[in-house]
Amino acid sequence: EPGARYDDVVEAVGHRIFLTHGHMYGVCFTTKMLCDAAGESGCDIAVYGHTHVAEISTGHITVLNPGSVARPRDAMQGSFLVMELEQGKAPTCHLIRFA
């Protein structure tokens, strides 16, 4: 819808994090457009949802999708992510699945 904000950028512990739902970036097919948008915003981390499929992908930009606690589409167990940030170091990410 016109004027709606789907993205946000936050700064934490020397990192810039691009947050978005993801649907405007074609994340069902590839995260390239998402990574491009994050990079253009000066971010080193991109976090999205939309697909309900958990992902941790490292590279020039760390790409994260926590999956879904209630409605996962990649496994029977729900999931969420915990990210640890330290200035000057790549983020440490842990995918937690319910047993």
Side-chain angles (χ1 to χ4, degrees):
E1 67 192 63
R5 282 195 62 196
Y6 296 108
D7 311 328
D8 202 0
V9 173
V10 297
E11 294 189 32
V13 195
H15 294 271
R16 285 181 56 90
I17 305 166
F18 187 82
L19 302 168
T20 187
H21 180 253
H23 64 293
M24 302 297 285
Y25 297 97
V27 295
C28 288
F29 306 105
T30 179
T31 57
K32 183 185 180 333
M33 287 185 359
L34 172 70
C35 288
D36 290 347
E40 289 169 9
S41 296
C43 297
D44 60 319
I45 301 167
V47 181
Y48 74 100
H50 185 61
T51 63
H52 293 224
V53 175
E55 174 182 2
I56 298 174
S57 177
T58 57
H60 178 65
I61 294 176
T62 299
V63 177
L64 306 171
N65 184 325
S68 173
V69 171
R71 297 178 187 215
R73 294 186 182 148
D74 60 345
M76 294 300 293
Q77 303 93 352
S79 64
F80 64 95
L81 278 169
V82 175
M83 178 172 56
E84 297 176 46
L85 297 176
E86 201 172 326
Q87 192 154 356
K89 293 187 177 183
T92 301
C93 305
H94 306 279
L95 179 66
I96 312 298
R97 291 224 185 251
F98 297 104

